[in-house]
Amino acid sequence: TIKAWIVAKAIGDFYNGGVSREFLDGNEAVARGAMKAGCSFFAGYPITPASSILHAMLELLPERGGVAIQAEDEIASMGLCIGAAMAGRKVLTATSGPGMSLYSENIGLAIIGETPMVIVNVQRQGPATGSATKGAEGDIQFTRWGTSGGLPVIVLSPATAEESYELTYRAFAFAERFRAPVFLLTSKEVGVTRESVDLEAVELPPLVERKRPAKGETYQPHAFQKPGDVPPMADFGGDHIVRYTTSTHDKAAYLTGSPKTIQEMIDHYIAKIEQAMDEITLVKRDLSLDAETLIISYGVVSRSAAVAVKEARARGIRI
């Protein structure tokens, strides 16, 4: 047995160039990226093709002191995640298209409450229940506009298992940095397709931790000097009084019907995302100065698009 292991390892090292590689699918990579980012809470409901994220978090979180819950439905999953985030946890939830419909009301609550969390949408064919085992990438508009009010949101879309790992990690960084829900828009093809990846070689930015008010400091849940400032966030049950509401409110989280105050808060929600456009926008570019045609793609389709561009250039097409 020992000899067989040595031979197998030698063969693996030969083919991998001595680098530690793994055979992971996109959903497993999402779970690993979440753990790398310090995720300590997960709640979700089984739904194809996102269920394996739930399974992975149920396995990974408890052994590291975290909490993973299979909730009774998608509405409860979002509610649990919002509560955990407000109590100081870094949280993740995962679903597919029909689940996003049920998430939508609490997504609005997360936006107006400035609640950091990561929401994974592993897309499948729609509309409605659609085809659970068929891949599609039709939820981009739904993810962007899926809640009332039309406020901007951050959406990241991986094309590979490696990007699923990296962008999940970055999604947590953005969630904490901007006090906002951040979406990972993946798909059935990315989520359940296994690839050889070296996660240790992925370059990641520094870990972002939540900005909290100092003990004894006067605290308002949504305080800002100018629109776009990201206020510190106190934990429920901590040293500060924390108010939280889904209704229109002022900086202290007291309900208000004042048009001026409401507009000021809406301008703030918009500005903190739109002012950081350059920081948030993550793209790969393959530009040609003499190009006459531009291809723009996202998600798993971008892999085919890259191949098509390469072949078109080989035929002399300026693209």
Side-chain angles (χ1 to χ4, degrees):
T1 303
I2 293 174
K3 287 182 179 179
W5 179 84
I6 291 173
V7 171
K9 185 177 186 303
I11 293 172
D13 288 346
F14 174 80
Y15 282 107
N16 296 334
V19 176
S20 174
R21 301 188 70 86
E22 300 175 81
F23 201 44
L24 298 177
D25 64 33
N27 284 352
E28 292 171 321
V30 166
R32 295 279 289 278
M35 298 306 297
K36 184 71 173 179
C39 177
S40 58
F41 184 90
F42 178 92
Y45 186 76
I47 183 170
T48 303
S51 296
S52 56
I53 298 176
L54 165 63
H55 300 159
M57 298 306 286
L58 286 169
E59 180 180 344
L60 293 172
L61 272 173
E63 64 184 23
R64 301 192 190 183
V67 176
I69 298 174
Q70 179 177 315
E72 61 266 35
D73 55 37
E74 288 87 352
I75 298 172
S77 299
M78 275 293 292
L80 288 164
C81 284
I82 288 173
M86 293 303 297
R89 299 279 187 147
K90 288 186 176 181
V91 306
L92 174 73
T93 187
T95 189
S96 191
M100 286 290 289
S101 299
L102 294 169
Y103 276 16
S104 61
E105 183 176 5
N106 271 335
I107 289 171
L109 172 57
I111 292 171
I112 199 171
E114 297 190 88
T115 312
M117 61 188 303
V118 177
I119 302 167
V120 182
N121 177 7
V122 186
Q123 298 170 95
R124 71 189 204 188
Q125 188 173 11
T129 305
S131 298
T133 60
K134 302 295 184 183
E137 291 188 301
D139 291 359
I140 186 167
Q141 295 282 13
F142 182 32
T143 304
R144 166 62 184 91
W145 301 102
T147 185
S148 60
L151 296 176
V153 296
I154 301 171
V155 186
L156 308 180
S157 182
T160 65
E162 183 178 284
E163 288 180 1
S164 297
Y165 172 77
E166 177 187 353
L167 294 185
T168 300
Y169 179 93
R170 289 181 179 273
F172 275 93
F174 287 152
E176 299 295 334
R177 161 84 172 81
F178 297 106
R179 269 194 68 176
V182 177
F183 297 87
L184 190 78
L185 185 62
T186 178
S187 68
K188 176 250 179 180
E189 311 308 1
V190 174
V192 302
T193 299
R194 291 190 177 276
E195 302 182 73
S196 176
V197 296
D198 180 10
L199 299 185
E200 294 180 4
V202 178
E203 295 186 10
L204 300 174
L207 196 66
V208 175
E209 298 295 350
R210 190 167 303 177
K211 181 182 177 184
R212 290 177 167 86
K215 188 174 182 178
E217 178 183 333
T218 300
Y219 177 68
Q220 288 187 318
H222 306 283
F224 57 88
Q225 295 298 317
K226 63 181 185 302
D229 292 343
V230 180
M233 183 175 176
D235 299 343
F236 265 107
D239 299 318
H240 300 85
I241 295 175
V242 179
R243 287 175 294 276
Y244 190 77
T245 176
T246 186
S247 298
T248 52
H249 55 258
D250 60 16
K251 295 177 182 179
Y254 285 119
L255 272 64
T256 181
S258 164
K260 179 180 178 180
T261 303
I262 293 170
Q263 189 62 55
E264 182 182 29
M265 296 302 297
I266 290 175
D267 291 343
H268 162 66
Y269 302 137
I270 295 172
K272 69 177 182 177
I273 304 299
E274 292 191 346
Q275 287 179 5
M277 194 78 72
D278 290 342
E279 178 182 349
I280 293 167
T281 303
L282 305 172
V283 298
K284 290 182 177 179
R285 298 179 179 89
D286 181 13
L287 303 179
S288 178
L289 294 178
D290 66 344
E292 296 177 342
T293 302
L294 173 66
I295 303 295
I296 300 173
S297 59
Y298 82 99
V300 73
V301 174
S302 63
R303 299 170 70 158
S304 300
V307 174
V309 167
K310 184 178 179 180
E311 292 184 1
R313 285 175 176 169
R315 298 178 187 180
I317 300 172
R318 289 185 286 181
I319 188 169

